[in-house]
Amino acid sequence: MKVMLHACCGPCLLEPYDALAATHDVRVVYANPNIHPRAEYERRRDVLLDYAAGRGIVVEEAPYDPAAWDAAVAGLEADPGRRCRACFRLRLGVAAGRAAAVGCEALATTLTVSPYQDPVAIREAGEEACAGAGVTFLLTDFRDRYGDATRRSRELGMYRQNYCGCRYSDDEAASTRERRRLERAGRREGAAGGTTI
Ligand code: SF4
């Protein structure tokens, strides 16, 4: 079957591509207007393209349209659950459109390799996007390959980002790292017999 694989970045492409290419004719689309800022978008894209070129993988890039992404998540910025669903719908909608345009019968996404993404939201967004484009959404769950994807991307020296992609996730990830830093510091202080109240 001819499958279009939506890819969010190079590290996440590794395992899903190999899994799908074992049984399908796979091409890749980089459709990620969520990524902020543009320099980060380009950095992730170039890592993906470098790897794909070395493997002879066909990749096309959808137009980078951050204004369309802003419109898709308008009003949902502070609600990550709903914001991410809208984000998935937009990106998979673009990818499904490209799949249909080049004669692919199905769409899959590398998003399902990440244990940090909501698989139900991805499935619902994918099915909705594909129904609109007249292609099948290929249901995948690559989370058991996340460890291998991490290992391989490190071995390849790939850039590995520390936030999902949008400006809100950059702030959220920074807050999470700071909270964990404070928790670790608190535990160290407690282990050293620090102050209790
Ligand atoms: S956190 Fe990730 S999936 Fe959610 S809206 Fe931001 S870029 Fe999209």
Side-chain angles (χ1 to χ4, degrees), residues 139-159:
L139 204 51
T140 58
D141 184 351
F142 298 120
R143 286 175 294 176
D144 62 340
R145 289 171 170 255
Y146 183 72
D148 286 334
T150 301
R151 176 186 53 75
R152 286 177 65 192
S153 59
R154 287 194 174 125
E155 287 171 359
L156 289 164
M158 280 180 163
Y159 164 61

PDB file of all heavy atoms in Angstrom, residues 139-159:
ATOM      1  N   LEU A 139      -3.823   3.284  11.701  1.00  0.00           N
ATOM      2  CA  LEU A 139      -3.687   3.333  13.157  1.00  0.00           C
ATOM      3  C   LEU A 139      -2.384   2.653  13.564  1.00  0.00           C
ATOM      4  O   LEU A 139      -2.151   1.485  13.249  1.00  0.00           O
ATOM      5  CB  LEU A 139      -4.879   2.605  13.788  1.00  0.00           C
ATOM      6  CG  LEU A 139      -5.262   2.986  15.208  1.00  0.00           C
ATOM      7  CD1 LEU A 139      -5.420   4.496  15.354  1.00  0.00           C
ATOM      8  CD2 LEU A 139      -6.542   2.276  15.594  1.00  0.00           C
ATOM      9  N   THR A 140      -1.510   3.387  14.226  1.00  0.00           N
ATOM     10  CA  THR A 140      -0.218   2.845  14.652  1.00  0.00           C
ATOM     11  C   THR A 140       0.016   3.174  16.119  1.00  0.00           C
ATOM     12  O   THR A 140      -0.552   4.132  16.654  1.00  0.00           O
ATOM     13  CB  THR A 140       0.943   3.436  13.827  1.00  0.00           C
ATOM     14  OG1 THR A 140       0.922   4.857  13.980  1.00  0.00           O
ATOM     15  CG2 THR A 140       0.843   3.077  12.358  1.00  0.00           C
ATOM     16  N   ASP A 141       0.855   2.395  16.743  1.00  0.00           N
ATOM     17  CA  ASP A 141       1.310   2.699  18.102  1.00  0.00           C
ATOM     18  C   ASP A 141       2.770   2.267  18.177  1.00  0.00           C
ATOM     19  O   ASP A 141       3.060   1.083  18.303  1.00  0.00           O
ATOM     20  CB  ASP A 141       0.467   1.956  19.140  1.00  0.00           C
ATOM     21  CG  ASP A 141       0.870   2.331  20.569  1.00  0.00           C
ATOM     22  OD1 ASP A 141       1.898   3.017  20.731  1.00  0.00           O
ATOM     23  OD2 ASP A 141       0.166   1.928  21.504  1.00  0.00           O
ATOM     24  N   PHE A 142       3.651   3.236  18.050  1.00  0.00           N
ATOM     25  CA  PHE A 142       5.088   2.939  18.022  1.00  0.00           C
ATOM     26  C   PHE A 142       5.745   3.237  19.362  1.00  0.00           C
ATOM     27  O   PHE A 142       6.973   3.315  19.434  1.00  0.00           O
ATOM     28  CB  PHE A 142       5.776   3.767  16.925  1.00  0.00           C
ATOM     29  CG  PHE A 142       5.292   3.480  15.530  1.00  0.00           C
ATOM     30  CD1 PHE A 142       4.718   4.479  14.759  1.00  0.00           C
ATOM     31  CD2 PHE A 142       5.428   2.210  14.975  1.00  0.00           C
ATOM     32  CE1 PHE A 142       4.284   4.231  13.468  1.00  0.00           C
ATOM     33  CE2 PHE A 142       4.991   1.939  13.687  1.00  0.00           C
ATOM     34  CZ  PHE A 142       4.420   2.955  12.931  1.00  0.00           C
ATOM     35  N   ARG A 143       4.954   3.429  20.415  1.00  0.00           N
ATOM     36  CA  ARG A 143       5.560   3.866  21.679  1.00  0.00           C
ATOM     37  C   ARG A 143       6.554   2.849  22.231  1.00  0.00           C
ATOM     38  O   ARG A 143       7.494   3.241  22.920  1.00  0.00           O
ATOM     39  CB  ARG A 143       4.462   4.162  22.711  1.00  0.00           C
ATOM     40  CG  ARG A 143       3.712   5.466  22.425  1.00  0.00           C
ATOM     41  CD  ARG A 143       2.568   5.675  23.360  1.00  0.00           C
ATOM     42  NE  ARG A 143       1.532   4.663  23.152  1.00  0.00           N
ATOM     43  CZ  ARG A 143       0.439   4.550  23.875  1.00  0.00           C
ATOM     44  NH1 ARG A 143       0.217   5.386  24.871  1.00  0.00           N
ATOM     45  NH2 ARG A 143      -0.450   3.610  23.609  1.00  0.00           N
ATOM     46  N   ASP A 144       6.354   1.568  21.922  1.00  0.00           N
ATOM     47  CA  ASP A 144       7.317   0.582  22.415  1.00  0.00           C
ATOM     48  C   ASP A 144       8.665   0.707  21.703  1.00  0.00           C
ATOM     49  O   ASP A 144       9.639   0.056  22.093  1.00  0.00           O
ATOM     50  CB  ASP A 144       6.764  -0.838  22.273  1.00  0.00           C
ATOM     51  CG  ASP A 144       6.495  -1.219  20.823  1.00  0.00           C
ATOM     52  OD1 ASP A 144       6.358  -0.299  19.982  1.00  0.00           O
ATOM     53  OD2 ASP A 144       6.432  -2.421  20.529  1.00  0.00           O
ATOM     54  N   ARG A 145       8.728   1.524  20.663  1.00  0.00           N
ATOM     55  CA  ARG A 145       9.988   1.737  19.946  1.00  0.00           C
ATOM     56  C   ARG A 145      10.654   3.052  20.350  1.00  0.00           C
ATOM     57  O   ARG A 145      11.681   3.431  19.775  1.00  0.00           O
ATOM     58  CB  ARG A 145       9.711   1.768  18.430  1.00  0.00           C
ATOM     59  CG  ARG A 145       9.335   0.408  17.852  1.00  0.00           C
ATOM     60  CD  ARG A 145       8.863   0.568  16.418  1.00  0.00           C
ATOM     61  NE  ARG A 145       8.714  -0.718  15.736  1.00  0.00           N
ATOM     62  CZ  ARG A 145       9.557  -1.188  14.816  1.00  0.00           C
ATOM     63  NH1 ARG A 145      10.601  -0.487  14.461  1.00  0.00           N
ATOM     64  NH2 ARG A 145       9.342  -2.351  14.249  1.00  0.00           N
ATOM     65  N   TYR A 146      10.068   3.757  21.298  1.00  0.00           N
ATOM     66  CA  TYR A 146      10.596   5.075  21.674  1.00  0.00           C
ATOM     67  C   TYR A 146      12.030   4.964  22.198  1.00  0.00           C
ATOM     68  O   TYR A 146      12.889   5.795  21.884  1.00  0.00           O
ATOM     69  CB  TYR A 146       9.689   5.725  22.714  1.00  0.00           C
ATOM     70  CG  TYR A 146      10.133   7.113  23.095  1.00  0.00           C
ATOM     71  CD1 TYR A 146       9.985   8.182  22.211  1.00  0.00           C
ATOM     72  CD2 TYR A 146      10.728   7.371  24.338  1.00  0.00           C
ATOM     73  CE1 TYR A 146      10.397   9.464  22.556  1.00  0.00           C
ATOM     74  CE2 TYR A 146      11.145   8.646  24.682  1.00  0.00           C
ATOM     75  CZ  TYR A 146      10.977   9.693  23.790  1.00  0.00           C
ATOM     76  OH  TYR A 146      11.399  10.958  24.132  1.00  0.00           O
ATOM     77  N   GLY A 147      12.300   3.932  22.989  1.00  0.00           N
ATOM     78  CA  GLY A 147      13.653   3.744  23.518  1.00  0.00           C
ATOM     79  C   GLY A 147      14.666   3.545  22.401  1.00  0.00           C
ATOM     80  O   GLY A 147      15.757   4.135  22.427  1.00  0.00           O
ATOM     81  N   ASP A 148      14.301   2.747  21.404  1.00  0.00           N
ATOM     82  CA  ASP A 148      15.204   2.531  20.272  1.00  0.00           C
ATOM     83  C   ASP A 148      15.382   3.817  19.463  1.00  0.00           C
ATOM     84  O   ASP A 148      16.482   4.114  18.973  1.00  0.00           O
ATOM     85  CB  ASP A 148      14.665   1.424  19.363  1.00  0.00           C
ATOM     86  CG  ASP A 148      14.847   0.043  19.983  1.00  0.00           C
ATOM     87  OD1 ASP A 148      15.771  -0.115  20.807  1.00  0.00           O
ATOM     88  OD2 ASP A 148      14.064  -0.857  19.659  1.00  0.00           O
ATOM     89  N   ALA A 149      14.295   4.567  19.311  1.00  0.00           N
ATOM     90  CA  ALA A 149      14.396   5.832  18.574  1.00  0.00           C
ATOM     91  C   ALA A 149      15.337   6.794  19.294  1.00  0.00           C
ATOM     92  O   ALA A 149      16.162   7.473  18.657  1.00  0.00           O
ATOM     93  CB  ALA A 149      13.011   6.465  18.430  1.00  0.00           C
ATOM     94  N   THR A 150      15.240   6.834  20.614  1.00  0.00           N
ATOM     95  CA  THR A 150      16.118   7.711  21.398  1.00  0.00           C
ATOM     96  C   THR A 150      17.577   7.271  21.249  1.00  0.00           C
ATOM     97  O   THR A 150      18.466   8.087  20.987  1.00  0.00           O
ATOM     98  CB  THR A 150      15.702   7.667  22.876  1.00  0.00           C
ATOM     99  OG1 THR A 150      14.338   8.093  22.972  1.00  0.00           O
ATOM    100  CG2 THR A 150      16.571   8.573  23.730  1.00  0.00           C
ATOM    101  N   ARG A 151      17.801   5.981  21.404  1.00  0.00           N
ATOM    102  CA  ARG A 151      19.170   5.464  21.298  1.00  0.00           C
ATOM    103  C   ARG A 151      19.753   5.742  19.912  1.00  0.00           C
ATOM    104  O   ARG A 151      20.868   6.258  19.781  1.00  0.00           O
ATOM    105  CB  ARG A 151      19.165   3.959  21.575  1.00  0.00           C
ATOM    106  CG  ARG A 151      20.523   3.284  21.388  1.00  0.00           C
ATOM    107  CD  ARG A 151      20.423   1.770  21.542  1.00  0.00           C
ATOM    108  NE  ARG A 151      19.406   1.156  20.693  1.00  0.00           N
ATOM    109  CZ  ARG A 151      19.531   0.975  19.369  1.00  0.00           C
ATOM    110  NH1 ARG A 151      20.644   1.337  18.757  1.00  0.00           N
ATOM    111  NH2 ARG A 151      18.556   0.411  18.676  1.00  0.00           N
ATOM    112  N   ARG A 152      18.992   5.413  18.878  1.00  0.00           N
ATOM    113  CA  ARG A 152      19.509   5.584  17.510  1.00  0.00           C
ATOM    114  C   ARG A 152      19.774   7.056  17.193  1.00  0.00           C
ATOM    115  O   ARG A 152      20.784   7.392  16.560  1.00  0.00           O
ATOM    116  CB  ARG A 152      18.518   5.016  16.496  1.00  0.00           C
ATOM    117  CG  ARG A 152      18.481   3.504  16.459  1.00  0.00           C
ATOM    118  CD  ARG A 152      17.427   3.009  15.474  1.00  0.00           C
ATOM    119  NE  ARG A 152      17.706   3.360  14.089  1.00  0.00           N
ATOM    120  CZ  ARG A 152      16.825   3.244  13.099  1.00  0.00           C
ATOM    121  NH1 ARG A 152      15.599   2.804  13.354  1.00  0.00           N
ATOM    122  NH2 ARG A 152      17.158   3.557  11.865  1.00  0.00           N
ATOM    123  N   SER A 153      18.872   7.932  17.603  1.00  0.00           N
ATOM    124  CA  SER A 153      19.073   9.345  17.282  1.00  0.00           C
ATOM    125  C   SER A 153      20.305   9.889  17.994  1.00  0.00           C
ATOM    126  O   SER A 153      21.036  10.723  17.443  1.00  0.00           O
ATOM    127  CB  SER A 153      17.821  10.160  17.625  1.00  0.00           C
ATOM    128  OG  SER A 153      17.496  10.037  18.989  1.00  0.00           O
ATOM    129  N   ARG A 154      20.562   9.386  19.219  1.00  0.00           N
ATOM    130  CA  ARG A 154      21.790   9.817  19.915  1.00  0.00           C
ATOM    131  C   ARG A 154      23.020   9.286  19.199  1.00  0.00           C
ATOM    132  O   ARG A 154      24.010  10.002  19.022  1.00  0.00           O
ATOM    133  CB  ARG A 154      21.769   9.331  21.371  1.00  0.00           C
ATOM    134  CG  ARG A 154      20.783  10.121  22.219  1.00  0.00           C
ATOM    135  CD  ARG A 154      20.999   9.892  23.706  1.00  0.00           C
ATOM    136  NE  ARG A 154      20.133  10.767  24.485  1.00  0.00           N
ATOM    137  CZ  ARG A 154      19.274  10.361  25.421  1.00  0.00           C
ATOM    138  NH1 ARG A 154      19.207   9.080  25.727  1.00  0.00           N
ATOM    139  NH2 ARG A 154      18.525  11.238  26.067  1.00  0.00           N
ATOM    140  N   GLU A 155      22.963   8.036  18.784  1.00  0.00           N
ATOM    141  CA  GLU A 155      24.114   7.448  18.078  1.00  0.00           C
ATOM    142  C   GLU A 155      24.400   8.191  16.772  1.00  0.00           C
ATOM    143  O   GLU A 155      25.553   8.320  16.353  1.00  0.00           O
ATOM    144  CB  GLU A 155      23.839   5.971  17.783  1.00  0.00           C
ATOM    145  CG  GLU A 155      23.919   5.091  19.031  1.00  0.00           C
ATOM    146  CD  GLU A 155      23.425   3.662  18.781  1.00  0.00           C
ATOM    147  OE1 GLU A 155      23.004   3.356  17.635  1.00  0.00           O
ATOM    148  OE2 GLU A 155      23.450   2.875  19.739  1.00  0.00           O
ATOM    149  N   LEU A 156      23.332   8.672  16.134  1.00  0.00           N
ATOM    150  CA  LEU A 156      23.491   9.400  14.868  1.00  0.00           C
ATOM    151  C   LEU A 156      23.890  10.857  15.087  1.00  0.00           C
ATOM    152  O   LEU A 156      24.148  11.582  14.127  1.00  0.00           O
ATOM    153  CB  LEU A 156      22.174   9.347  14.079  1.00  0.00           C
ATOM    154  CG  LEU A 156      21.816   7.978  13.480  1.00  0.00           C
ATOM    155  CD1 LEU A 156      20.352   7.930  13.062  1.00  0.00           C
ATOM    156  CD2 LEU A 156      22.719   7.677  12.285  1.00  0.00           C
ATOM    157  N   GLY A 157      23.898  11.278  16.353  1.00  0.00           N
ATOM    158  CA  GLY A 157      24.249  12.662  16.647  1.00  0.00           C
ATOM    159  C   GLY A 157      23.188  13.653  16.211  1.00  0.00           C
ATOM    160  O   GLY A 157      23.484  14.829  15.954  1.00  0.00           O
ATOM    161  N   MET A 158      21.939  13.187  16.136  1.00  0.00           N
ATOM    162  CA  MET A 158      20.851  14.072  15.714  1.00  0.00           C
ATOM    163  C   MET A 158      20.526  15.104  16.798  1.00  0.00           C
ATOM    164  O   MET A 158      20.596  14.792  17.984  1.00  0.00           O
ATOM    165  CB  MET A 158      19.572  13.263  15.470  1.00  0.00           C
ATOM    166  CG  MET A 158      19.512  12.556  14.147  1.00  0.00           C
ATOM    167  SD  MET A 158      17.938  11.641  14.038  1.00  0.00           S
ATOM    168  CE  MET A 158      17.882  11.371  12.274  1.00  0.00           C
ATOM    169  N   TYR A 159      20.148  16.278  16.357  1.00  0.00           N
ATOM    170  CA  TYR A 159      19.615  17.278  17.289  1.00  0.00           C
ATOM    171  C   TYR A 159      18.310  16.746  17.877  1.00  0.00           C
ATOM    172  O   TYR A 159      17.437  16.291  17.151  1.00  0.00           O
ATOM    173  CB  TYR A 159      19.358  18.590  16.542  1.00  0.00           C
ATOM    174  CG  TYR A 159      18.467  19.561  17.280  1.00  0.00           C
ATOM    175  CD1 TYR A 159      18.833  20.078  18.520  1.00  0.00           C
ATOM    176  CD2 TYR A 159      17.233  19.933  16.745  1.00  0.00           C
ATOM    177  CE1 TYR A 159      18.004  20.958  19.196  1.00  0.00           C
ATOM    178  CE2 TYR A 159      16.397  20.823  17.410  1.00  0.00           C
ATOM    179  CZ  TYR A 159      16.789  21.324  18.637  1.00  0.00           C
ATOM    180  OH  TYR A 159      15.963  22.177  19.309  1.00  0.00           O
TER     181      TYR A 159
END
